[in-house]
Amino acid sequence: MMFPENLLIMKYQKNTDEYFMNLALEEAKKAESKLEVPVGCVIVKDNKIIAKAHNLRESKQSSLAHAEIIAIEKACKKVGSWRLEDCDIFITLEPCLMCSGAIINSRIKRVVYGTTEPKFGAHQSKTNVYEIDFNHKTEVKAGVLAEESNRMLKDFFKNIRSEKN
């Protein structure tokens, strides 16, 4: 039996940015189901997923429990190194300064994200740490499935506000 969430995955050609971003959106849905801000992340190496994670800041009561940080830790364990040089990271939301620093320091080759983060975004919204001349250069692609990512976030916060009233 095919479930509706699997239908979304099927509409994107395998191993494309949209395919992997859709899987990050599935992670974001897991966060949302836990009443966490719906942010999801997938790390890919050689077209294979090596780590997935979603936001857990409320559950863990930790400012460090961003989807990217959790996924990077899992990926490092999987490859047995802190260097993720041949990896791409797919995130539903523009990474913040902390996560961007972790991405650069882990030597991730490419960042692909969905929608912008106007309050904390460290690629185009508040600053662009990826254009600073660090020892490692990370490529960035913005706007992949941005509408879907943005809609999920807006709906989440709309529901939170309506529950408070």
Side-chain angles (χ1 to χ4, degrees):
M1 182 168 164
M2 187 161 307
F3 296 97
E5 62 269 12
N6 293 337
L7 293 174
L8 290 174
I9 294 169
M10 290 176 56
K11 81 178 192 179
Y12 301 108
Q13 184 177 351
K14 196 167 177 152
N15 298 334
T16 62
D17 289 346
E18 292 78 12
Y19 175 82
F20 291 119
M21 185 61 72
N22 191 65
L23 295 173
L25 283 164
E26 293 299 321
E27 283 296 311
K29 287 178 190 172
K30 291 178 186 177
E32 183 177 41
S33 73
K34 298 173 183 176
L35 300 179
E36 297 277 1
V37 175
V39 178
C41 178
V42 173
I43 299 179
V44 175
K45 181 177 179 158
D46 300 324
N47 285 322
K48 292 185 177 106
I49 296 167
I50 61 168
K52 298 188 291 186
H54 52 274
N55 190 28
L56 290 173
R57 289 190 313 169
E58 295 298 328
S59 302
K60 293 186 176 259
Q61 286 299 296
S62 171
S63 58
L64 302 176
H66 288 208
E68 300 94 312
I69 301 297
I70 297 167
I72 288 169
E73 287 179 327
K74 288 179 179 180
C76 289
K77 285 181 185 173
K78 178 85 173 184
V79 301
S81 174
W82 62 269
R83 292 179 185 89
L84 300 174
E85 294 169 323
D86 297 320
C87 296
D88 296 339
I89 189 167
F90 296 83
I91 315 156
T92 58
L93 185 64
E94 177 184 5
C96 70
L97 190 56
M98 173 182 71
C99 293
S100 294
I103 288 165
I104 292 166
N105 278 297
S106 63
R107 312 291 196 263
I108 288 176
K109 181 175 91 177
R110 191 167 73 109
V111 174
V112 180
Y113 69 86
T115 194
T116 57
E117 200 336 334
K119 294 180 181 176
F120 297 102
H123 170 247
Q124 62 180 310
S125 296
K126 288 295 181 187
T127 189
N128 186 353
V129 298
Y130 297 100
E131 68 182 12
I132 297 171
D133 189 25
F134 289 116
N135 157 16
H136 172 74
K137 190 73 174 160
T138 301
E139 299 169 39
V140 182
K141 181 177 180 181
V144 176
L145 301 187
E147 186 178 316
E148 292 86 340
S149 296
N150 196 32
R151 186 179 329 111
M152 186 182 295
L153 285 159
K154 282 186 176 187
D155 289 349
F156 174 79
F157 287 112
K158 182 180 174 183
N159 289 338
I160 293 289
R161 283 189 297 273
S162 70
E163 287 176 12
K164 286 183 179 179
N165 292 332

